[in-house]
Amino acid sequence: MKKYLIITATLCFGMVFSQKQVQRATVAFMNVENLWDTVPSFDYIDGTKNRNNPAFHRSVPLDSIELMETTEDYRGPWSDELLTGKKVIRKQVLADDFTANSAKNWDTQKYNDKMGKLAKVISELGRQHTNDNPAIMGLLEIENRQVVQDLISQPLLAKSDYGIVHFNSYDARGVDNAIIYQKKRFRPTETYKKEIKIFDDEGKRVYTRDIIVMKGLLDGERIAVFMNHWPSRSGGEARSLPRRIAAAAALKEEMDKASAESPGIKLIAMGDFNDDPVSPSLRKHLGAVGEPSELSDKSPYYNLMTKLYKAGVASLAYRDAPNLFDQIIVSKNLYSPEKMTGTYSVYKAEIFAPSYLVNSQGQWKGYPYRSWDGDRYTGGYSDHFPAVSVLQREYTAAR
């Protein structure tokens, strides 16, 4: 098993003519493995604000709970729609888990150590091809907007002047997704979240991470990004599959809608799908094909990681088996067989796994060098390798 995890491969979609000037942009993401701050907190929903306002649903320090105005002790289903007009508190399951007084002994020193390590990784994604930090970067397993702000304030990232797209989810653990983008290169025109509604065997709502949607202009081109963290395989792959099928249906609905509303827009769906590229959720229900030759009007989504998966590349180990859960899927107008085009197309795709991200010894040799072993902070980076795509186009000064 371990031999698979240290295999790295790059998917290249053509060589560059040396006489042409090239503009490139890295679009990547990383599951950052429980990026929590050290402050116990709760969720405060102020339904009097617009739903697309991050203050509609925000994280607040627990010692401020008595200061927050509430309209009721809410015990109903959790959704933005039902909470509109209300002011309520939602307690987090892990409120005290990542603190100095918990079994994890999570403190400022360890928090800053992890921040510095994550900034190092992010600053290197695609750099050999762009000489720049990622233009767009997705983040999974974050606690709240503040940890993202702390991350982009790190010296290696601060110079890129990142903006943040983040919405609190109703995930029971308080786990969220976010996207950061270089303000000088990407201009958002619309941002929102798409709830994934899933249910347990008794028909009771189970709360998971939302899909974060960011639409806008990347260096002047219309792009939509869909950030995903699909339901886990808890309870077993087969038993939990319907939950990921529901997530696939929600993602497909949003991607299809974006294309219908804005013909020609280029779509990038990425995230930890908790399934491999050949799994039914991605292959059948999202309809993401694994070969460019399979692309058509009826099958317009191309999974950049399918070939890497078939080559034995993995982004994590789940239950002691290699998996490639971390994937990037693009619309067919982002693929081109041409060596160079006047608009953005995919140049490279890879799972980024340099030696420092790989456990070099012990029981977990060959696995991602993760941050946590139970309640013990290991000083590692994450239990997932990042997924990276590099877009390129012919550059002209007139742009």
Side-chain angles (χ1 to χ4, degrees):
M1 189 291 283
K2 296 173 184 175
K3 67 180 180 182
Y4 290 101
L5 282 177
I6 60 175
I7 291 174
T8 60
T10 299
L11 210 58
C12 184
F13 294 88
M15 302 302 291
V16 181
F17 289 122
S18 59
Q19 67 266 33
K20 290 186 177 181
Q21 289 185 304
V22 181
Q23 184 174 31
R24 291 177 177 158
T26 296
V27 180
F29 77 92
M30 182 177 184
N31 183 321
V32 294
E33 191 190 3
N34 293 326
L35 184 57
W36 253 252
D37 61 27
T38 62
V39 181
S41 59
F42 65 96
D43 285 356
Y44 180 65
I45 297 93
D46 183 352
T48 65
K49 299 185 182 299
N50 186 286
R51 293 184 202 174
N52 287 333
N53 183 339
F56 179 96
H57 181 182
R58 65 186 189 270
S59 183
V60 178
L62 197 60
D63 59 10
S64 301
I65 195 166
E66 294 182 357
L67 303 177
M68 308 308 294
E69 179 186 359
T70 59
T71 56
E72 61 188 278
D73 181 14
Y74 186 78
R75 298 183 182 275
W78 297 95
S79 73
D80 288 356
E81 182 180 11
L82 293 175
L83 293 171
T84 297
K86 305 178 187 293
K87 293 184 178 183
V88 302
I89 286 169
R90 187 173 194 263
K91 295 181 180 179
Q92 296 180 357
V93 174
L94 297 184
D96 298 310
D97 203 31
F98 288 85
T99 66
N101 296 323
S102 72
K104 287 182 169 57
N105 191 27
W106 186 235
D107 56 27
T108 301
Q109 181 179 354
K110 294 171 185 172
Y111 178 69
N112 290 338
D113 178 70
K114 183 172 174 73
M115 281 289 179
K117 286 183 164 72
L118 291 175
K120 170 183 167 62
V121 178
I122 293 169
S123 72
E124 294 181 0
L125 300 181
R127 178 167 289 276
Q128 64 176 316
H129 307 296
T130 65
N131 195 32
D132 194 9
N133 288 337
I136 297 172
M137 179 75 199
L139 301 167
L140 307 182
E141 284 199 13
I142 59 144
E143 181 188 12
N144 52 42
R145 190 182 187 91
Q146 185 59 52
V147 300
V148 181
Q149 185 61 57
D150 291 346
L151 180 60
I152 64 176
S153 298
Q154 293 290 308
L156 287 172
L157 302 181
K159 59 187 176 183
S160 292
D161 189 25
Y162 280 110
I164 300 172
V165 178
H166 166 261
F167 299 97
N168 266 22
S169 75
Y170 294 106
D171 177 86
R173 296 174 60 236
V175 178
D176 296 339
N177 303 334
I179 305 171
I180 58 176
Y181 60 91
Q182 288 195 37
K183 296 176 185 177
K184 65 184 177 183
R185 302 196 63 180
F186 186 86
R187 181 171 66 84
T189 56
E190 183 181 12
T191 61
Y192 63 93
K193 67 177 185 179
K194 170 71 173 181
E195 283 187 86
I196 299 173
K197 294 183 178 181
I198 58 176
F199 302 87
D200 63 18
D201 294 340
E202 299 176 353
K204 184 179 179 181
R205 176 81 184 272
V206 177
Y207 298 95
T208 189
R209 285 77 53 173
D210 303 315
I211 301 171
I212 302 296
V213 182
M214 180 179 78
K215 300 177 183 178
L217 300 173
L218 173 62
D219 298 326
E221 288 193 34
R222 290 178 297 143
I223 298 280
V225 178
F226 304 81
M227 196 68 246
N228 299 261
H229 190 179
W230 286 6
S232 75
R233 292 187 171 190
S234 177
E237 177 184 355
R239 184 176 180 182
S240 60
L241 178 59
R243 299 181 183 185
R244 292 185 297 283
I245 289 175
L251 174 59
K252 188 176 189 304
E253 179 183 6
E254 290 306 307
M255 294 177 74
D256 290 350
K257 184 175 72 171
S259 292
E261 292 177 349
S262 184
I265 192 171
K266 295 180 175 180
L267 312 181
I268 303 174
M270 55 188 184
D272 175 358
F273 294 100
N274 273 302
D275 267 336
D276 289 312
V278 296
S279 298
S281 60
L282 289 153
R283 185 76 169 142
K284 179 180 178 181
H285 295 275
L286 180 61
V289 302
E291 296 286 345
S293 59
E294 298 177 280
L295 287 167
S296 67
D297 289 342
K298 291 184 178 181
S299 299
Y301 306 132
Y302 176 33
N303 193 329
L304 300 180
M305 300 304 170
T306 302
K307 290 183 178 180
L308 301 183
Y309 173 78
K310 291 181 178 179
V313 176
S315 61
L316 78 158
Y318 178 75
R319 294 187 175 177
D320 205 32
N323 291 101
L324 211 175
F325 288 171
D326 302 88
Q327 300 160 52
I328 300 176
I329 298 162
V330 300
S331 53
K332 66 186 180 77
N333 57 356
L334 266 170
Y335 169 78
S336 173
E338 301 296 327
K339 296 178 179 179
M340 182 72 70
T341 62
T343 62
Y344 273 132
S345 60
V346 177
Y347 171 58
K348 285 185 179 290
E350 66 180 357
I351 295 298
F352 183 70
S355 58
Y356 71 84
L357 286 183
V358 182
N359 224 314
S360 61
Q361 58 188 351
Q363 179 183 0
W364 310 115
K365 183 177 180 179
Y367 288 54
Y369 182 21
R370 62 185 302 162
S371 298
W372 293 97
D373 181 5
D375 285 330
R376 182 178 68 89
Y377 178 62
T378 65
Y381 296 78
S382 175
D383 54 350
H384 290 245
F385 296 133
V388 184
S389 64
V390 179
L391 312 181
Q392 77 170 14
R393 67 184 182 185
E394 184 177 355
Y395 176 78
T396 60
R399 289 192 188 279

